[in-house]
Amino acid sequence: MVLLTLLAIVTVAIIGQRSLFGVVILSGIYSFLMASVLIVLDAVDVAMTEASVGAGVSLVVLLATLHL
């Protein structure tokens, strides 16, 4: 229940965020929390994919895009 509450809080924070950098960082946090929820649901393979793609690769690509 705590993880779902944190997901809702991060979602509201993303909606209210004014800077793109903040949105990118919060989306990485959201991906990490979603991977944690998937681990609790015993979907470890999906959680590892979410962690590597969602929180890893996507975050790096979006930060590189903001840098350019």
Side-chain angles (χ1 to χ4, degrees):
M1 198 65 166
V2 173
L3 288 173
L4 294 177
T5 304
L6 287 172
L7 278 173
I9 291 170
V10 170
T11 302
V12 171
I14 288 173
I15 292 170
Q17 191 63 245
R18 304 283 295 167
S19 70
L20 289 176
F21 181 74
V23 170
V24 169
I25 296 300
L26 286 172
S27 69
I29 292 170
Y30 183 87
S31 294
F32 174 72
L33 288 172
M34 194 62 209
S36 300
V37 168
L38 290 170
I39 288 175
V40 170
L41 294 174
D42 289 331
V44 180
D45 54 340
V46 180
M48 294 302 286
T49 303
E50 174 67 28
S52 64
V53 174
V57 176
S58 295
L59 187 65
V60 169
V61 169
L62 288 172
L63 285 174
T65 303
L66 285 177
H67 180 70
L68 291 177

Short mmCIF file of all heavy atoms in Angstrom, two decimals:
data_model
loop_
_atom_site.label_atom_id
_atom_site.label_comp_id
_atom_site.label_asym_id
_atom_site.label_seq_id
_atom_site.Cartn_x
_atom_site.Cartn_y
_atom_site.Cartn_z
N MET A 1 0.82 -1.19 0.00
CA MET A 1 0.00 0.00 0.00
C MET A 1 0.87 1.27 0.00
O MET A 1 0.51 2.26 -0.61
CB MET A 1 -0.92 -0.05 1.23
CG MET A 1 -2.06 0.85 1.13
SD MET A 1 -3.10 0.29 -0.22
CE MET A 1 -4.52 1.20 0.09
N VAL A 2 2.00 1.17 0.67
CA VAL A 2 2.90 2.32 0.74
C VAL A 2 3.47 2.64 -0.65
O VAL A 2 3.55 3.81 -1.04
CB VAL A 2 4.04 2.05 1.76
CG1 VAL A 2 5.07 3.15 1.72
CG2 VAL A 2 3.47 1.90 3.15
N LEU A 3 3.84 1.60 -1.38
CA LEU A 3 4.40 1.82 -2.72
C LEU A 3 3.38 2.46 -3.66
O LEU A 3 3.72 3.34 -4.45
CB LEU A 3 4.91 0.50 -3.31
CG LEU A 3 6.18 -0.06 -2.69
CD1 LEU A 3 6.46 -1.44 -3.24
CD2 LEU A 3 7.34 0.86 -2.93
N LEU A 4 2.13 2.02 -3.57
CA LEU A 4 1.09 2.61 -4.42
C LEU A 4 0.84 4.07 -4.05
O LEU A 4 0.59 4.91 -4.92
CB LEU A 4 -0.19 1.79 -4.33
CG LEU A 4 -0.10 0.37 -4.90
CD1 LEU A 4 -1.40 -0.36 -4.68
CD2 LEU A 4 0.27 0.40 -6.36
N THR A 5 0.91 4.38 -2.77
CA THR A 5 0.76 5.77 -2.33
C THR A 5 1.91 6.62 -2.86
O THR A 5 1.70 7.74 -3.34
CB THR A 5 0.70 5.84 -0.79
OG1 THR A 5 -0.34 5.00 -0.32
CG2 THR A 5 0.47 7.26 -0.32
N LEU A 6 3.12 6.09 -2.79
CA LEU A 6 4.27 6.82 -3.32
C LEU A 6 4.15 7.02 -4.83
O LEU A 6 4.52 8.08 -5.35
CB LEU A 6 5.56 6.09 -2.98
CG LEU A 6 6.01 6.17 -1.53
CD1 LEU A 6 7.20 5.25 -1.29
CD2 LEU A 6 6.33 7.59 -1.14
N LEU A 7 3.63 6.01 -5.54
CA LEU A 7 3.41 6.15 -6.99
C LEU A 7 2.43 7.28 -7.28
O LEU A 7 2.65 8.07 -8.21
CB LEU A 7 2.89 4.84 -7.57
CG LEU A 7 3.91 3.77 -7.89
CD1 LEU A 7 3.21 2.49 -8.31
CD2 LEU A 7 4.86 4.23 -8.95
N ALA A 8 1.36 7.37 -6.49
CA ALA A 8 0.38 8.43 -6.68
C ALA A 8 0.99 9.80 -6.39
O ALA A 8 0.74 10.77 -7.12
CB ALA A 8 -0.84 8.18 -5.80
N ILE A 9 1.81 9.89 -5.36
CA ILE A 9 2.44 11.16 -5.01
C ILE A 9 3.40 11.60 -6.11
O ILE A 9 3.42 12.78 -6.50
CB ILE A 9 3.17 11.04 -3.65
CG1 ILE A 9 2.14 10.90 -2.53
CG2 ILE A 9 4.08 12.24 -3.40
CD1 ILE A 9 2.75 10.54 -1.19
N VAL A 10 4.19 10.67 -6.63
CA VAL A 10 5.13 11.01 -7.70
C VAL A 10 4.38 11.42 -8.97
O VAL A 10 4.79 12.35 -9.67
CB VAL A 10 6.09 9.82 -7.97
CG1 VAL A 10 6.90 10.04 -9.22
CG2 VAL A 10 7.00 9.63 -6.78
N THR A 11 3.26 10.76 -9.25
CA THR A 11 2.47 11.11 -10.42
C THR A 11 1.94 12.53 -10.32
O THR A 11 2.01 13.31 -11.28
CB THR A 11 1.29 10.13 -10.58
OG1 THR A 11 1.81 8.82 -10.69
CG2 THR A 11 0.48 10.47 -11.81
N VAL A 12 1.43 12.90 -9.16
CA VAL A 12 0.93 14.27 -8.95
C VAL A 12 2.09 15.26 -9.04
O VAL A 12 1.93 16.36 -9.60
CB VAL A 12 0.19 14.37 -7.60
CG1 VAL A 12 -0.13 15.81 -7.25
CG2 VAL A 12 -1.07 13.53 -7.63
N ALA A 13 3.25 14.88 -8.53
CA ALA A 13 4.41 15.77 -8.60
C ALA A 13 4.86 15.97 -10.05
O ALA A 13 5.27 17.07 -10.43
CB ALA A 13 5.55 15.21 -7.76
N ILE A 14 4.79 14.92 -10.86
CA ILE A 14 5.15 15.06 -12.28
C ILE A 14 4.20 16.01 -12.98
O ILE A 14 4.62 16.86 -13.78
CB ILE A 14 5.16 13.68 -12.97
CG1 ILE A 14 6.36 12.87 -12.51
CG2 ILE A 14 5.21 13.82 -14.49
CD1 ILE A 14 6.37 11.43 -13.00
N ILE A 15 2.91 15.88 -12.68
CA ILE A 15 1.92 16.75 -13.32
C ILE A 15 2.14 18.21 -12.94
O ILE A 15 2.02 19.11 -13.77
CB ILE A 15 0.50 16.29 -12.94
CG1 ILE A 15 0.20 14.94 -13.56
CG2 ILE A 15 -0.55 17.31 -13.36
CD1 ILE A 15 -1.07 14.30 -13.06
N GLY A 16 2.51 18.45 -11.69
CA GLY A 16 2.69 19.82 -11.22
C GLY A 16 4.06 20.42 -11.47
O GLY A 16 4.28 21.60 -11.21
N GLN A 17 4.97 19.64 -11.99
CA GLN A 17 6.34 20.11 -12.20
C GLN A 17 6.43 21.07 -13.38
O GLN A 17 5.82 20.86 -14.41
CB GLN A 17 7.25 18.90 -12.44
CG GLN A 17 8.72 19.19 -12.43
CD GLN A 17 9.19 19.69 -11.09
OE1 GLN A 17 9.62 20.83 -11.01
NE2 GLN A 17 9.11 18.90 -10.06
N ARG A 18 7.20 22.13 -13.21
CA ARG A 18 7.35 23.13 -14.25
C ARG A 18 8.62 22.95 -15.08
O ARG A 18 8.68 23.37 -16.22
CB ARG A 18 7.36 24.53 -13.64
CG ARG A 18 6.14 24.87 -12.79
CD ARG A 18 4.93 25.19 -13.57
NE ARG A 18 5.11 26.41 -14.34
CZ ARG A 18 4.29 26.79 -15.28
NH1 ARG A 18 3.25 26.06 -15.57
NH2 ARG A 18 4.51 27.89 -15.95
N SER A 19 9.64 22.35 -14.50
CA SER A 19 10.91 22.21 -15.24
C SER A 19 11.02 20.82 -15.84
O SER A 19 10.56 19.82 -15.27
CB SER A 19 12.09 22.45 -14.30
OG SER A 19 12.21 21.40 -13.38
N LEU A 20 11.64 20.75 -17.01
CA LEU A 20 11.81 19.47 -17.69
C LEU A 20 12.76 18.55 -16.93
O LEU A 20 12.58 17.34 -16.91
CB LEU A 20 12.33 19.70 -19.10
CG LEU A 20 11.32 20.30 -20.08
CD1 LEU A 20 11.99 20.56 -21.42
CD2 LEU A 20 10.14 19.39 -20.25
N PHE A 21 13.78 19.13 -16.31
CA PHE A 21 14.73 18.32 -15.55
C PHE A 21 14.02 17.62 -14.39
O PHE A 21 14.25 16.44 -14.14
CB PHE A 21 15.87 19.20 -15.03
CG PHE A 21 16.90 18.43 -14.24
CD1 PHE A 21 17.79 17.60 -14.89
CD2 PHE A 21 16.96 18.53 -12.87
CE1 PHE A 21 18.73 16.87 -14.18
CE2 PHE A 21 17.90 17.82 -12.15
CZ PHE A 21 18.79 17.00 -12.80
N GLY A 22 13.15 18.34 -13.72
CA GLY A 22 12.39 17.74 -12.62
C GLY A 22 11.50 16.62 -13.09
O GLY A 22 11.36 15.59 -12.42
N VAL A 23 10.89 16.79 -14.26
CA VAL A 23 10.03 15.75 -14.81
C VAL A 23 10.84 14.50 -15.14
O VAL A 23 10.41 13.37 -14.88
CB VAL A 23 9.28 16.26 -16.06
CG1 VAL A 23 8.59 15.14 -16.78
CG2 VAL A 23 8.28 17.33 -15.67
N VAL A 24 12.03 14.68 -15.69
CA VAL A 24 12.88 13.53 -16.03
C VAL A 24 13.30 12.78 -14.78
O VAL A 24 13.23 11.55 -14.72
CB VAL A 24 14.11 14.00 -16.84
CG1 VAL A 24 15.12 12.89 -16.98
CG2 VAL A 24 13.67 14.51 -18.20
N ILE A 25 13.71 13.48 -13.76
CA ILE A 25 14.13 12.84 -12.52
C ILE A 25 12.96 12.13 -11.85
O ILE A 25 13.08 11.00 -11.39
CB ILE A 25 14.76 13.87 -11.56
CG1 ILE A 25 16.04 14.44 -12.18
CG2 ILE A 25 15.04 13.26 -10.19
CD1 ILE A 25 17.09 13.41 -12.47
N LEU A 26 11.80 12.78 -11.82
CA LEU A 26 10.63 12.14 -11.23
C LEU A 26 10.16 10.93 -12.02
O LEU A 26 9.65 9.97 -11.46
CB LEU A 26 9.50 13.16 -11.08
CG LEU A 26 9.68 14.18 -9.96
CD1 LEU A 26 8.60 15.25 -10.04
CD2 LEU A 26 9.67 13.51 -8.60
N SER A 27 10.35 10.96 -13.33
CA SER A 27 9.97 9.78 -14.11
C SER A 27 10.91 8.61 -13.81
O SER A 27 10.49 7.45 -13.83
CB SER A 27 9.96 10.10 -15.60
OG SER A 27 11.25 10.33 -16.09
N GLY A 28 12.17 8.89 -13.54
CA GLY A 28 13.09 7.84 -13.12
C GLY A 28 12.70 7.26 -11.77
O GLY A 28 12.76 6.04 -11.56
N ILE A 29 12.27 8.13 -10.86
CA ILE A 29 11.80 7.67 -9.56
C ILE A 29 10.54 6.82 -9.73
O ILE A 29 10.37 5.79 -9.08
CB ILE A 29 11.55 8.88 -8.63
CG1 ILE A 29 12.88 9.55 -8.28
CG2 ILE A 29 10.82 8.46 -7.36
CD1 ILE A 29 12.74 10.87 -7.57
N TYR A 30 9.66 7.26 -10.62
CA TYR A 30 8.43 6.50 -10.88
C TYR A 30 8.76 5.10 -11.42
O TYR A 30 8.16 4.12 -10.99
CB TYR A 30 7.55 7.26 -11.87
CG TYR A 30 6.23 6.58 -12.14
CD1 TYR A 30 5.14 6.82 -11.31
CD2 TYR A 30 6.08 5.69 -13.19
CE1 TYR A 30 3.93 6.20 -11.53
CE2 TYR A 30 4.87 5.05 -13.41
CZ TYR A 30 3.80 5.31 -12.59
OH TYR A 30 2.61 4.68 -12.82
N SER A 31 9.72 5.02 -12.32
CA SER A 31 10.11 3.71 -12.87
C SER A 31 10.69 2.81 -11.79
O SER A 31 10.41 1.61 -11.75
CB SER A 31 11.11 3.89 -13.99
OG SER A 31 10.52 4.52 -15.08
N PHE A 32 11.49 3.39 -10.91
CA PHE A 32 12.05 2.61 -9.81
C PHE A 32 10.96 2.10 -8.88
O PHE A 32 10.97 0.93 -8.46
CB PHE A 32 13.06 3.44 -9.03
CG PHE A 32 13.58 2.76 -7.80
CD1 PHE A 32 14.46 1.70 -7.91
CD2 PHE A 32 13.19 3.17 -6.54
CE1 PHE A 32 14.94 1.06 -6.78
CE2 PHE A 32 13.65 2.53 -5.42
CZ PHE A 32 14.53 1.48 -5.53
N LEU A 33 10.00 2.96 -8.55
CA LEU A 33 8.90 2.53 -7.69
C LEU A 33 8.04 1.46 -8.36
O LEU A 33 7.58 0.52 -7.72
CB LEU A 33 8.03 3.74 -7.30
CG LEU A 33 8.65 4.71 -6.31
CD1 LEU A 33 7.78 5.95 -6.17
CD2 LEU A 33 8.86 4.05 -4.97
N MET A 34 7.83 1.60 -9.67
CA MET A 34 7.04 0.60 -10.39
C MET A 34 7.76 -0.74 -10.41
O MET A 34 7.13 -1.80 -10.27
CB MET A 34 6.78 1.09 -11.81
CG MET A 34 5.74 0.33 -12.53
SD MET A 34 4.16 0.48 -11.67
CE MET A 34 3.43 -1.06 -12.12
N ALA A 35 9.08 -0.72 -10.54
CA ALA A 35 9.85 -1.96 -10.47
C ALA A 35 9.72 -2.59 -9.08
O ALA A 35 9.63 -3.81 -8.95
CB ALA A 35 11.31 -1.69 -10.80
N SER A 36 9.69 -1.76 -8.05
CA SER A 36 9.51 -2.28 -6.69
C SER A 36 8.14 -2.92 -6.52
O SER A 36 8.01 -3.96 -5.87
CB SER A 36 9.68 -1.15 -5.67
OG SER A 36 10.96 -0.59 -5.76
N VAL A 37 7.11 -2.30 -7.09
CA VAL A 37 5.77 -2.88 -7.03
C VAL A 37 5.74 -4.23 -7.75
O VAL A 37 5.14 -5.19 -7.27
CB VAL A 37 4.72 -1.92 -7.64
CG1 VAL A 37 3.39 -2.60 -7.86
CG2 VAL A 37 4.55 -0.69 -6.75
N LEU A 38 6.41 -4.32 -8.87
CA LEU A 38 6.43 -5.57 -9.63
C LEU A 38 7.17 -6.68 -8.88
O LEU A 38 6.82 -7.85 -8.98
CB LEU A 38 7.04 -5.35 -11.01
CG LEU A 38 6.18 -4.52 -11.96
CD1 LEU A 38 6.97 -4.14 -13.20
CD2 LEU A 38 4.92 -5.27 -12.33
N ILE A 39 8.19 -6.30 -8.11
CA ILE A 39 8.89 -7.30 -7.29
C ILE A 39 7.97 -7.81 -6.20
O ILE A 39 7.92 -9.02 -5.92
CB ILE A 39 10.19 -6.71 -6.69
CG1 ILE A 39 11.22 -6.55 -7.79
CG2 ILE A 39 10.72 -7.59 -5.57
CD1 ILE A 39 12.48 -5.87 -7.36
N VAL A 40 7.20 -6.92 -5.59
CA VAL A 40 6.24 -7.34 -4.56
C VAL A 40 5.19 -8.27 -5.15
O VAL A 40 4.73 -9.21 -4.50
CB VAL A 40 5.58 -6.10 -3.91
CG1 VAL A 40 4.42 -6.50 -3.01
CG2 VAL A 40 6.61 -5.31 -3.12
N LEU A 41 4.82 -8.06 -6.41
CA LEU A 41 3.84 -8.90 -7.08
C LEU A 41 4.44 -10.19 -7.65
O LEU A 41 3.77 -10.92 -8.38
CB LEU A 41 3.16 -8.12 -8.21
CG LEU A 41 2.30 -6.94 -7.78
CD1 LEU A 41 1.82 -6.17 -9.00
CD2 LEU A 41 1.13 -7.43 -6.95
N ASP A 42 5.70 -10.47 -7.33
CA ASP A 42 6.42 -11.66 -7.78
C ASP A 42 6.59 -11.74 -9.29
O ASP A 42 6.57 -12.82 -9.89
CB ASP A 42 5.76 -12.95 -7.28
CG ASP A 42 5.94 -13.14 -5.79
OD1 ASP A 42 6.96 -12.66 -5.27
OD2 ASP A 42 5.06 -13.76 -5.16
N ALA A 43 6.76 -10.61 -9.93
CA ALA A 43 7.07 -10.57 -11.35
C ALA A 43 8.49 -10.03 -11.50
O ALA A 43 8.72 -8.93 -12.00
CB ALA A 43 6.07 -9.70 -12.09
N VAL A 44 9.44 -10.82 -11.05
CA VAL A 44 10.82 -10.37 -10.97
C VAL A 44 11.41 -10.10 -12.35
O VAL A 44 12.15 -9.12 -12.53
CB VAL A 44 11.68 -11.39 -10.19
CG1 VAL A 44 13.11 -10.92 -10.10
CG2 VAL A 44 11.10 -11.60 -8.81
N ASP A 45 11.06 -10.92 -13.34
CA ASP A 45 11.61 -10.71 -14.68
C ASP A 45 11.11 -9.39 -15.28
O ASP A 45 11.88 -8.64 -15.89
CB ASP A 45 11.27 -11.88 -15.59
CG ASP A 45 9.78 -12.19 -15.63
OD1 ASP A 45 9.06 -11.77 -14.70
OD2 ASP A 45 9.35 -12.84 -16.59
N VAL A 46 9.85 -9.07 -15.07
CA VAL A 46 9.30 -7.80 -15.56
C VAL A 46 9.90 -6.64 -14.77
O VAL A 46 10.18 -5.58 -15.33
CB VAL A 46 7.76 -7.81 -15.47
CG1 VAL A 46 7.18 -6.51 -15.95
CG2 VAL A 46 7.19 -8.98 -16.23
N ALA A 47 10.12 -6.84 -13.48
CA ALA A 47 10.71 -5.79 -12.66
C ALA A 47 12.13 -5.47 -13.09
O ALA A 47 12.53 -4.30 -13.13
CB ALA A 47 10.69 -6.20 -11.19
N MET A 48 12.90 -6.49 -13.43
CA MET A 48 14.27 -6.26 -13.88
C MET A 48 14.28 -5.52 -15.21
O MET A 48 15.12 -4.64 -15.44
CB MET A 48 15.03 -7.58 -14.00
CG MET A 48 15.25 -8.28 -12.68
SD MET A 48 16.14 -7.26 -11.50
CE MET A 48 17.76 -7.34 -12.18
N THR A 49 13.35 -5.85 -16.09
CA THR A 49 13.25 -5.15 -17.37
C THR A 49 12.86 -3.70 -17.15
O THR A 49 13.42 -2.78 -17.76
CB THR A 49 12.23 -5.84 -18.29
OG1 THR A 49 12.62 -7.20 -18.44
CG2 THR A 49 12.14 -5.16 -19.62
N GLU A 50 11.90 -3.46 -16.27
CA GLU A 50 11.47 -2.09 -15.95
C GLU A 50 12.61 -1.29 -15.35
O GLU A 50 12.81 -0.12 -15.69
CB GLU A 50 10.28 -2.13 -15.00
CG GLU A 50 9.84 -0.77 -14.50
CD GLU A 50 9.26 0.12 -15.58
OE1 GLU A 50 8.70 -0.39 -16.55
OE2 GLU A 50 9.39 1.35 -15.45
N ALA A 51 13.37 -1.91 -14.47
CA ALA A 51 14.47 -1.21 -13.83
C ALA A 51 15.56 -0.86 -14.83
O ALA A 51 16.11 0.24 -14.81
CB ALA A 51 15.04 -2.05 -12.69
N SER A 52 15.88 -1.79 -15.72
CA SER A 52 16.97 -1.53 -16.65
C SER A 52 16.55 -0.59 -17.77
O SER A 52 17.32 0.30 -18.15
CB SER A 52 17.49 -2.84 -17.24
OG SER A 52 16.48 -3.46 -18.00
N VAL A 53 15.36 -0.75 -18.29
CA VAL A 53 14.92 0.10 -19.40
C VAL A 53 14.31 1.39 -18.89
O VAL A 53 14.68 2.49 -19.31
CB VAL A 53 13.92 -0.66 -20.31
CG1 VAL A 53 13.35 0.27 -21.37
CG2 VAL A 53 14.59 -1.84 -20.95
N GLY A 54 13.36 1.28 -17.97
CA GLY A 54 12.64 2.46 -17.49
C GLY A 54 13.50 3.41 -16.69
O GLY A 54 13.57 4.61 -16.96
N ALA A 55 14.15 2.88 -15.67
CA ALA A 55 14.94 3.74 -14.80
C ALA A 55 16.36 3.91 -15.30
O ALA A 55 17.03 4.88 -14.93
CB ALA A 55 14.97 3.15 -13.39
N GLY A 56 16.83 3.02 -16.15
CA GLY A 56 18.22 3.10 -16.61
C GLY A 56 18.37 3.80 -17.93
O GLY A 56 18.80 4.96 -18.00
N VAL A 57 18.02 3.13 -18.98
CA VAL A 57 18.27 3.64 -20.34
C VAL A 57 17.45 4.89 -20.64
O VAL A 57 17.99 5.88 -21.15
CB VAL A 57 18.00 2.52 -21.38
CG1 VAL A 57 18.15 3.04 -22.79
CG2 VAL A 57 18.90 1.34 -21.13
N SER A 58 16.17 4.86 -20.31
CA SER A 58 15.31 6.02 -20.61
C SER A 58 15.78 7.27 -19.88
O SER A 58 15.79 8.36 -20.45
CB SER A 58 13.87 5.72 -20.23
OG SER A 58 13.36 4.69 -21.01
N LEU A 59 16.17 7.09 -18.62
CA LEU A 59 16.63 8.24 -17.85
C LEU A 59 17.90 8.84 -18.45
O LEU A 59 18.01 10.06 -18.58
CB LEU A 59 16.87 7.82 -16.40
CG LEU A 59 17.20 8.94 -15.42
CD1 LEU A 59 16.02 9.88 -15.28
CD2 LEU A 59 17.57 8.35 -14.08
N VAL A 60 18.82 7.99 -18.87
CA VAL A 60 20.07 8.47 -19.46
C VAL A 60 19.79 9.17 -20.80
O VAL A 60 20.35 10.24 -21.08
CB VAL A 60 21.07 7.31 -19.62
CG1 VAL A 60 22.25 7.71 -20.46
CG2 VAL A 60 21.51 6.80 -18.27
N VAL A 61 18.94 8.59 -21.62
CA VAL A 61 18.61 9.19 -22.91
C VAL A 61 17.92 10.54 -22.73
O VAL A 61 18.24 11.51 -23.43
CB VAL A 61 17.75 8.23 -23.76
CG1 VAL A 61 17.16 8.92 -24.97
CG2 VAL A 61 18.57 7.02 -24.18
N LEU A 62 16.98 10.63 -21.79
CA LEU A 62 16.28 11.89 -21.57
C LEU A 62 17.22 12.96 -21.00
O LEU A 62 17.14 14.13 -21.38
CB LEU A 62 15.08 11.68 -20.65
CG LEU A 62 13.92 10.94 -21.27
CD1 LEU A 62 12.85 10.60 -20.22
CD2 LEU A 62 13.30 11.74 -22.40
N LEU A 63 18.12 12.57 -20.10
CA LEU A 63 19.08 13.54 -19.58
C LEU A 63 20.04 14.01 -20.66
O LEU A 63 20.40 15.18 -20.72
CB LEU A 63 19.85 12.93 -18.41
CG LEU A 63 19.08 12.81 -17.10
CD1 LEU A 63 19.92 12.06 -16.07
CD2 LEU A 63 18.66 14.17 -16.58
N ALA A 64 20.45 13.09 -21.55
CA ALA A 64 21.32 13.49 -22.68
C ALA A 64 20.59 14.44 -23.62
O ALA A 64 21.19 15.39 -24.13
CB ALA A 64 21.81 12.25 -23.43
N THR A 65 19.31 14.18 -23.83
CA THR A 65 18.51 15.07 -24.67
C THR A 65 18.39 16.45 -24.06
O THR A 65 18.51 17.47 -24.77
CB THR A 65 17.11 14.46 -24.89
OG1 THR A 65 17.25 13.17 -25.46
CG2 THR A 65 16.27 15.33 -25.81
N LEU A 66 18.19 16.51 -22.77
CA LEU A 66 18.12 17.82 -22.12
C LEU A 66 19.46 18.55 -22.16
O LEU A 66 19.49 19.78 -22.27
CB LEU A 66 17.68 17.66 -20.66
CG LEU A 66 16.21 17.37 -20.43
CD1 LEU A 66 15.96 17.16 -18.93
CD2 LEU A 66 15.35 18.48 -20.96
N HIS A 67 20.53 17.79 -22.11
CA HIS A 67 21.85 18.41 -22.17
C HIS A 67 22.12 19.05 -23.53
O HIS A 67 22.74 20.10 -23.63
CB HIS A 67 22.93 17.39 -21.85
CG HIS A 67 24.31 17.93 -21.89
ND1 HIS A 67 24.76 18.82 -20.94
CD2 HIS A 67 25.34 17.75 -22.74
CE1 HIS A 67 26.01 19.15 -21.22
NE2 HIS A 67 26.38 18.51 -22.32
N LEU A 68 21.62 18.40 -24.59
CA LEU A 68 21.82 18.94 -25.92
C LEU A 68 20.96 20.17 -26.12
O LEU A 68 21.27 21.07 -26.82
CB LEU A 68 21.47 17.89 -26.98
CG LEU A 68 22.43 16.72 -27.05
CD1 LEU A 68 21.92 15.72 -28.09
CD2 LEU A 68 23.82 17.17 -27.45
#
